[in-house]
Amino acid sequence: MKRIVTILAVSLAAASFSGPVLADEHGEVSKVISKQEQQKMVNVAHRGASGHAPENTMGAFQKGFEMKADYIEIDVQMTKDGELVVIHDTTVDRTTNGTGKVGSLTFEEIRQLDAGSWFSESYAGEKVPTFEEVIDAFRGKVGILIELKAPELYPGMEKKIADALMERNMHLSNNGKVILQSFNHESMKKSKELLPNLPHGVLVGAGWKNVTEEQLAQFAAYADYFNPTMSIVTDELVSDVHEAEMKIYPYTSRTQEQALRLFDLNVDGIITDYTEHVYYHPVKNN
Ligand code: G3P
Ligand code: CA
């Protein structure tokens, strides 16, 4: 009963409001969001639309593009023979039918693996994509948030990524919507030197809950984004990050409630497995 009353109350508020409302896929209103708020919120499809397709595959990136995400987020690592590949874990065990460390396998070996069946049989045969395949397929269509995953394991990775972007003239400005980020902040400093015109971000975990203004100023010397785990995001953190002239895209929202909380906190973007949680769904009239 309480739930119905809440929905009715919000529905009445929505009815008297001329802008869009944020509702779930069934059209149930969950919060009134102004059109301006909804449009300015950057929607990042985490590892592609990974709630709907196997993470970090071309299928997941295509789905993120089709769902109108602003960015697809990709995790980049390097094979034993130096190929840049897109995969999250430092082993292939969880997301393919193979075993072993990414850095101990050759590209040929990784390419044989099935990266889709673990998620659903309908994705059987998906491959681990190369970094170059992803940027060639999606640049100009959707923004690309490139995470350098565990770069400490892959010496020279920053230069390889920079070279691939430079070969395609993607390093000149950010009109192609490319951002680089990593939990490894030294790697970001290195990358910023190689790609000074592209925005960079520092990823941080819960240990940075009490980040100081001074630390934020140090990050801002080379980073444009401070992207924390969503559990540490507060009004104060958001305003401190903005004060330091950086943007904040927390990770990783997996429920509508989490996305709504981040809307309330006034973050700049939401990294989510479910792109649809960040977009307006028309409310049914019946
Ligand atoms: O984009 C941020 C997020 O991807 C960081 O965490 O573990 O999913 O790579 P993870
Ligand atoms: Ca990532």
Side-chain angles (χ1 to χ4, degrees):
M1 182 63 184
K2 189 175 170 205
R3 181 174 156 77
I4 295 171
V5 170
T6 308
I7 291 167
L8 274 175
V10 182
S11 298
L12 283 172
S16 62
F17 184 80
S18 58
V21 294
L22 197 69
D24 66 18
E25 60 273 30
H26 309 297
E28 191 172 279
V29 177
S30 40
K31 178 181 163 63
V32 179
I33 300 272
S34 76
K35 189 167 190 172
Q36 212 181 16
E37 269 182 303
Q38 190 265 318
Q39 285 178 338
K40 79 171 191 202
M41 183 60 68
V42 173
N43 190 329
V44 183
H46 178 240
R47 309 180 196 171
S50 59
H52 303 283
E55 64 179 61
N56 281 317
T57 61
M58 293 304 255
F61 300 137
Q62 179 62 25
K63 187 87 185 160
F65 166 64
E66 286 167 8
M67 291 178 81
K68 300 193 175 5
D70 296 303
Y71 285 81
I72 50 171
E73 190 254 0
I74 72 173
D75 294 297
V76 183
Q77 300 188 57
M78 208 156 86
T79 64
K80 183 181 177 185
D81 49 347
E83 183 77 47
L84 295 170
V85 286
V86 178
I87 185 168
H88 178 271
D89 296 3
T90 54
T91 74
V92 298
D93 302 15
R94 181 179 60 87
T95 56
T96 76
N97 59 344
T99 55
K101 290 182 183 165
V102 173
S104 304
L105 295 165
T106 63
F107 174 61
E108 194 58 35
E109 287 167 332
I110 288 187
R111 196 60 155 184
Q112 307 298 325
L113 305 176
D114 179 339
S117 294
W118 70 274
F119 185 86
S120 145
E121 270 316 303
S122 60
Y123 283 100
E126 281 278 357
K127 301 289 178 206
V128 173
T130 67
F131 173 61
E132 297 193 57
E133 282 171 343
V134 176
I135 58 176
D136 282 338
F138 292 100
R139 68 192 166 118
K141 290 167 79 175
V142 59
I144 308 177
L145 175 57
I146 302 166
E147 180 179 347
L148 281 69
K149 182 59 83 186
E152 60 280 7
L153 299 179
Y154 311 111
M157 186 185 179
E158 295 83 2
K159 172 87 166 60
K160 274 195 185 254
I161 288 177
D163 286 346
L165 294 173
M166 285 157 112
E167 275 165 27
R168 293 163 176 79
N169 279 336
M170 291 171 73
H171 64 302
L172 297 174
S173 73
N174 198 31
N175 56 11
K177 288 213 301 181
V178 171
I179 305 170
L180 298 108
Q181 65 172 1
S182 185
F183 286 100
N184 183 322
H185 304 158
E186 289 307 310
S187 172
M188 286 298 91
K189 283 187 199 163
K190 216 180 284 178
S191 180
K192 185 71 184 179
E193 278 178 21
L194 296 165
L195 298 166
N197 295 325
L198 293 186
H200 285 68
V202 288
L203 282 164
V204 300
W208 288 89
K209 187 170 185 252
N210 298 315
V211 64
T212 64
E213 285 175 22
E214 195 185 352
Q215 286 169 324
L216 288 171
Q218 284 165 2
F219 286 136
Y222 58 91
D224 308 273
Y225 293 83
F226 180 83
N227 295 344
T229 177
M230 65 182 173
S231 65
I232 65 167
V233 182
T234 58
D235 279 325
E236 194 188 353
L237 180 67
V238 174
S239 69
D240 286 352
V241 171
H242 287 162
E243 199 64 34
E245 297 190 353
M246 290 185 288
K247 289 187 173 168
I248 177 165
Y249 292 3
Y251 66 90
T252 301
S253 172
R254 295 193 169 96
T255 67
Q256 182 70 82
E257 289 66 33
Q258 289 167 344
L260 291 170
R261 178 177 168 267
L262 295 171
F263 260 104
D264 276 343
L265 289 168
N266 212 19
V267 301
D268 302 292
I270 299 177
I271 299 176
T272 178
D273 288 354
Y274 296 94
T275 296
E276 66 271 31
H277 291 167
V278 184
Y279 277 129
Y280 164 64
H281 298 269
V283 178
K284 292 173 191 150
N285 283 327
N286 51 19

